[in-house]
Amino acid sequence: MRNLYKMLAGSVTLIRRDPMMIMLLGVPWLAGALLGIGVPALAPLLQTAFDVDIAPYYPLVDMLLLMLTPMLSGMLAGFLMLDERDEGVGVYYAVTPLGGAGYYASRLSLPVLYSIIVAPLLMAVFSLSNPALWRVLCIALVGGVFAAASALLLMAFAGNKVEGLAVAKIMSLLMFPIFIPFFTDSPWGMVAGFFPAYWMGALMSGPVWTLLPGLAVSGTWLMALYRRTQRA
Protein backbone atom coordinates (compact mmCIF):
# COMPACT_ATOMS: atom_id res chain seq x y z
CA MET A 1 0.00 0.00 0.00
CA ARG A 2 2.86 2.36 0.82
CA ASN A 3 4.47 1.66 -2.56
CA LEU A 4 1.18 2.44 -4.30
CA TYR A 5 0.90 5.73 -2.40
CA LYS A 6 4.45 6.67 -3.41
CA MET A 7 3.62 5.90 -7.04
CA LEU A 8 0.53 8.10 -6.87
CA ALA A 9 2.56 10.93 -5.34
CA GLY A 10 5.12 10.52 -8.12
CA SER A 11 2.35 10.75 -10.70
CA VAL A 12 1.24 14.09 -9.27
CA THR A 13 4.81 15.38 -9.46
CA LEU A 14 5.10 14.35 -13.12
CA ILE A 15 1.80 16.05 -13.97
CA ARG A 16 2.93 19.29 -12.30
CA ARG A 17 5.96 19.38 -14.59
CA ASP A 18 3.94 19.15 -17.82
CA PRO A 19 2.05 22.34 -18.83
CA MET A 20 -0.23 20.43 -21.20
CA MET A 21 -1.36 18.07 -18.46
CA ILE A 22 -2.00 20.96 -16.08
CA MET A 23 -4.06 22.60 -18.82
CA LEU A 24 -6.16 19.43 -19.20
CA LEU A 25 -6.93 19.48 -15.48
CA GLY A 26 -8.09 23.08 -15.74
CA VAL A 27 -10.37 22.70 -18.76
CA PRO A 28 -13.45 21.43 -16.83
CA TRP A 29 -13.20 24.43 -14.49
CA LEU A 30 -12.84 26.87 -17.38
CA ALA A 31 -15.78 25.25 -19.18
CA GLY A 32 -17.79 25.34 -15.95
CA ALA A 33 -17.16 29.06 -15.54
CA LEU A 34 -18.05 29.84 -19.16
CA LEU A 35 -21.19 27.70 -19.21
CA GLY A 36 -22.31 28.31 -15.65
CA ILE A 37 -22.16 32.08 -16.11
CA GLY A 38 -22.70 32.41 -19.86
CA VAL A 39 -25.75 30.20 -20.36
CA PRO A 40 -27.93 31.86 -17.67
CA ALA A 41 -26.88 35.26 -19.01
CA LEU A 42 -27.87 34.20 -22.53
CA ALA A 43 -31.23 32.71 -21.49
CA PRO A 44 -33.21 36.00 -21.07
CA LEU A 45 -31.77 37.36 -24.32
CA LEU A 46 -32.99 34.31 -26.26
CA GLN A 47 -36.33 34.49 -24.47
CA THR A 48 -36.79 38.13 -25.46
CA ALA A 49 -35.43 37.95 -29.01
CA PHE A 50 -36.76 34.56 -30.17
CA ASP A 51 -39.25 33.52 -27.46
CA VAL A 52 -37.08 30.46 -26.80
CA ASP A 53 -36.78 29.08 -23.28
CA ILE A 54 -33.53 27.17 -22.83
CA ALA A 55 -34.04 26.46 -19.11
CA PRO A 56 -35.36 22.91 -19.79
CA TYR A 57 -32.00 22.18 -21.43
CA TYR A 58 -29.90 23.15 -18.40
CA PRO A 59 -29.33 19.45 -17.53
CA LEU A 60 -27.50 19.13 -20.86
CA VAL A 61 -25.01 21.75 -19.70
CA ASP A 62 -24.42 19.84 -16.49
CA MET A 63 -24.02 16.58 -18.44
CA LEU A 64 -21.42 18.26 -20.62
CA LEU A 65 -19.38 19.20 -17.55
CA LEU A 66 -19.80 15.73 -16.07
CA MET A 67 -18.62 14.31 -19.40
CA LEU A 68 -15.56 16.54 -19.67
CA THR A 69 -14.21 15.64 -16.25
CA PRO A 70 -13.57 11.90 -16.81
CA MET A 71 -12.78 12.33 -20.51
CA LEU A 72 -9.94 14.77 -19.89
CA SER A 73 -8.61 12.98 -16.82
CA GLY A 74 -8.50 9.75 -18.85
CA MET A 75 -6.52 11.54 -21.56
CA LEU A 76 -4.15 12.90 -18.91
CA ALA A 77 -3.48 9.43 -17.48
CA GLY A 78 -3.03 8.03 -20.98
CA PHE A 79 -0.54 10.72 -22.00
CA LEU A 80 1.38 10.19 -18.76
CA MET A 81 1.67 6.46 -19.46
CA LEU A 82 2.65 7.11 -23.08
CA ASP A 83 5.46 9.39 -21.91
CA GLU A 84 6.69 6.75 -19.50
CA ARG A 85 6.53 4.05 -22.16
CA ASP A 86 8.56 6.22 -24.55
CA GLU A 87 11.17 6.72 -21.84
CA GLY A 88 11.23 3.03 -20.94
CA VAL A 89 10.08 3.74 -17.39
CA GLY A 90 7.23 1.24 -17.56
CA VAL A 91 9.71 -1.63 -17.89
CA TYR A 92 11.49 -0.41 -14.77
CA TYR A 93 8.28 -0.31 -12.74
CA ALA A 94 7.47 -3.88 -13.76
CA VAL A 95 10.48 -5.20 -11.78
CA THR A 96 9.85 -3.07 -8.67
CA PRO A 97 7.98 -4.47 -5.62
CA LEU A 98 4.87 -2.76 -6.96
CA GLY A 99 4.99 -4.82 -10.15
CA GLY A 100 3.38 -4.22 -13.51
CA ALA A 101 -0.17 -4.59 -12.17
CA GLY A 102 0.59 -2.14 -9.39
CA TYR A 103 1.97 0.34 -11.89
CA TYR A 104 -1.24 0.19 -13.92
CA ALA A 105 -3.32 0.46 -10.74
CA SER A 106 -1.48 3.59 -9.64
CA ARG A 107 -1.86 5.30 -13.00
CA LEU A 108 -5.45 4.24 -13.70
CA SER A 109 -6.66 5.24 -10.25
CA LEU A 110 -5.80 8.87 -11.06
CA PRO A 111 -8.77 9.54 -13.39
CA VAL A 112 -11.13 7.64 -11.09
CA LEU A 113 -10.12 9.70 -8.05
CA TYR A 114 -10.11 12.94 -10.03
CA SER A 115 -13.62 12.32 -11.36
CA ILE A 116 -15.09 11.39 -7.97
CA ILE A 117 -13.52 14.42 -6.26
CA VAL A 118 -13.91 17.08 -8.95
CA ALA A 119 -17.38 16.27 -10.36
CA PRO A 120 -19.26 17.14 -7.11
CA LEU A 121 -17.19 20.32 -6.74
CA LEU A 122 -17.99 21.38 -10.30
CA MET A 123 -21.68 20.76 -9.75
CA ALA A 124 -21.65 22.62 -6.43
CA VAL A 125 -20.14 25.70 -8.07
CA PHE A 126 -21.47 25.72 -11.65
CA SER A 127 -24.52 23.43 -11.87
CA LEU A 128 -27.60 24.87 -13.56
CA SER A 129 -30.01 22.00 -12.83
CA ASN A 130 -28.73 21.03 -9.34
CA PRO A 131 -28.75 17.21 -9.66
CA ALA A 132 -28.80 15.21 -6.44
CA LEU A 133 -25.37 14.46 -4.97
CA TRP A 134 -25.88 10.69 -5.26
CA ARG A 135 -26.50 11.09 -8.99
CA VAL A 136 -23.33 13.15 -9.43
CA LEU A 137 -21.26 10.61 -7.49
CA CYS A 138 -22.68 7.67 -9.46
CA ILE A 139 -22.02 9.44 -12.77
CA ALA A 140 -18.50 10.29 -11.61
CA LEU A 141 -17.83 6.69 -10.61
CA VAL A 142 -18.98 5.24 -13.94
CA GLY A 143 -17.16 8.01 -15.78
CA GLY A 144 -14.00 7.48 -13.75
CA VAL A 145 -13.85 3.76 -14.56
CA PHE A 146 -14.43 4.57 -18.23
CA ALA A 147 -11.73 7.25 -18.01
CA ALA A 148 -9.30 4.56 -16.84
CA ALA A 149 -10.36 2.48 -19.85
CA SER A 150 -9.80 5.54 -22.07
CA ALA A 151 -6.23 5.82 -20.79
CA LEU A 152 -5.66 2.20 -21.82
CA LEU A 153 -7.26 2.96 -25.18
CA LEU A 154 -4.52 5.52 -25.78
CA MET A 155 -1.88 3.02 -24.68
CA ALA A 156 -3.28 0.33 -26.97
CA PHE A 157 -3.65 2.33 -30.16
CA ALA A 158 -1.14 5.19 -29.92
CA GLY A 159 2.58 4.73 -30.36
CA ASN A 160 3.51 8.14 -28.96
CA LYS A 161 2.03 11.40 -27.70
CA VAL A 162 1.42 12.80 -31.20
CA GLU A 163 -0.55 9.72 -32.21
CA GLY A 164 -2.23 9.93 -28.81
CA LEU A 165 -3.68 13.33 -29.70
CA ALA A 166 -5.26 11.84 -32.83
CA VAL A 167 -6.66 8.87 -30.89
CA ALA A 168 -7.97 11.24 -28.21
CA LYS A 169 -10.01 13.15 -30.79
CA ILE A 170 -11.67 9.94 -31.92
CA MET A 171 -12.03 8.81 -28.31
CA SER A 172 -14.05 11.93 -27.45
CA LEU A 173 -16.83 10.66 -29.73
CA LEU A 174 -17.39 7.78 -27.33
CA MET A 175 -18.76 10.23 -24.77
CA PHE A 176 -21.64 11.60 -26.84
CA PRO A 177 -24.12 8.80 -25.98
CA ILE A 178 -24.40 10.56 -22.61
CA PHE A 179 -27.01 12.84 -24.22
CA ILE A 180 -29.25 10.07 -25.65
CA PRO A 181 -31.32 9.42 -22.47
CA PHE A 182 -32.17 13.13 -22.30
CA PHE A 183 -33.83 13.11 -25.72
CA THR A 184 -35.54 9.71 -25.72
CA ASP A 185 -36.77 7.10 -23.29
CA SER A 186 -37.42 4.62 -26.08
CA PRO A 187 -36.02 1.10 -25.49
CA TRP A 188 -34.18 1.57 -28.79
CA GLY A 189 -32.01 4.11 -27.03
CA MET A 190 -30.50 1.29 -25.01
CA VAL A 191 -28.75 0.12 -28.18
CA ALA A 192 -26.19 2.70 -27.10
CA GLY A 193 -25.85 0.87 -23.78
CA PHE A 194 -22.65 -0.65 -25.14
CA PHE A 195 -21.08 2.72 -24.36
CA PRO A 196 -20.50 3.64 -20.70
CA ALA A 197 -21.42 7.26 -21.46
CA TYR A 198 -25.01 6.18 -22.13
CA TRP A 199 -25.36 4.98 -18.55
CA MET A 200 -23.84 8.21 -17.28
CA GLY A 201 -26.67 10.06 -19.03
CA ALA A 202 -29.24 7.57 -17.75
CA LEU A 203 -28.10 8.20 -14.17
CA MET A 204 -28.93 11.90 -14.56
CA SER A 205 -32.63 11.15 -14.28
CA GLY A 206 -32.98 7.37 -13.96
CA PRO A 207 -33.14 5.05 -10.94
CA VAL A 208 -30.12 4.19 -8.81
CA TRP A 209 -29.91 0.63 -10.18
CA THR A 210 -28.72 2.17 -13.46
CA LEU A 211 -25.34 2.36 -11.73
CA LEU A 212 -24.93 -1.42 -11.95
CA PRO A 213 -25.02 -1.81 -15.76
CA GLY A 214 -22.95 1.38 -16.01
CA LEU A 215 -20.18 -0.11 -13.87
CA ALA A 216 -20.46 -3.47 -15.63
CA VAL A 217 -20.07 -1.93 -19.09
CA SER A 218 -17.24 0.38 -17.99
CA GLY A 219 -15.48 -2.51 -16.26
CA THR A 220 -15.79 -4.64 -19.38
CA TRP A 221 -14.14 -1.92 -21.45
CA LEU A 222 -11.40 -1.61 -18.83
CA MET A 223 -10.61 -5.33 -18.72
CA ALA A 224 -10.74 -5.76 -22.50
CA LEU A 225 -8.38 -2.83 -23.09
CA TYR A 226 -6.04 -3.95 -20.30
CA ARG A 227 -5.68 -7.32 -22.02
CA ARG A 228 -5.12 -5.51 -25.32
CA THR A 229 -2.27 -3.46 -23.85
CA GLN A 230 -0.65 -6.61 -22.42
CA ARG A 231 -0.59 -8.15 -25.91
CA ALA A 232 0.74 -4.99 -27.57
Side-chain angles (χ1 to χ4, degrees):
M1 193 68 182
R2 182 178 297 177
N3 290 330
L4 184 60
Y5 174 77
K6 288 181 179 179
M7 186 75 78
L8 283 170
S11 300
V12 174
T13 301
L14 291 172
I15 291 169
R16 288 170 56 190
R17 293 175 180 172
D18 193 321
M20 189 184 80
M21 292 185 184
I22 294 175
M23 182 184 69
L24 284 175
L25 289 176
V27 167
W29 294 98
L30 177 60
L34 291 174
L35 295 172
I37 298 172
V39 172
L42 188 63
L45 299 178
L46 292 174
Q47 182 76 53
T48 302
F50 304 104
D51 194 27
V52 174
D53 183 14
I54 62 172
Y57 298 96
Y58 281 178
L60 287 176
V61 178
D62 288 345
M63 282 195 283
L64 179 60
L65 291 179
L66 291 171
M67 175 184 76
L68 279 174
T69 306
M71 182 178 74
L72 293 173
S73 62
M75 289 181 185
L76 183 148
F79 288 141
L80 179 62
M81 294 171 75
L82 282 174
D83 275 346
E84 290 174 334
R85 186 174 67 184
D86 290 343
E87 296 169 1
V89 178
V91 178
Y92 165 77
Y93 284 133
V95 297
T96 63
L98 196 61
Y103 165 70
Y104 275 96
S106 69
R107 294 299 183 257
L108 298 180
S109 62
L110 290 173
V112 179
L113 293 173
Y114 182 79
S115 296
I116 292 174
I117 293 171
V118 170
L121 295 176
L122 278 174
M123 290 295 98
V125 178
F126 300 117
S127 175
L128 300 181
S129 64
N130 298 313
L133 178 61
W134 72 265
R135 293 188 182 278
V136 175
L137 290 173
C138 288
I139 292 170
L141 181 58
V142 173
V145 177
F146 184 51
S150 299
L152 291 178
L153 188 65
L154 284 175
M155 286 286 289
F157 296 101
N160 51 56
K161 215 169 187 178
V162 176
E163 293 179 6
L165 290 171
V167 174
K169 291 178 182 178
I170 299 172
M171 190 173 69
S172 63
L173 299 176
L174 300 176
M175 298 301 295
F176 281 96
I178 194 175
F179 300 114
I180 292 177
F182 182 84
F183 292 105
T184 179
D185 56 1
S186 168
W188 287 103
M190 292 189 67
V191 172
F194 173 74
F195 300 99
Y198 172 84
W199 300 104
M200 293 169 64
L203 279 163
M204 197 69 173
S205 58
V208 67
W209 63 260
T210 316
L211 173 66
L212 298 179
L215 287 176
V217 172
S218 294
T220 300
W221 278 69
L222 181 64
M223 293 305 300
L225 287 165
Y226 177 73
R227 290 171 182 167
R228 173 67 174 79
T229 57
Q230 297 307 294
R231 292 197 303 265

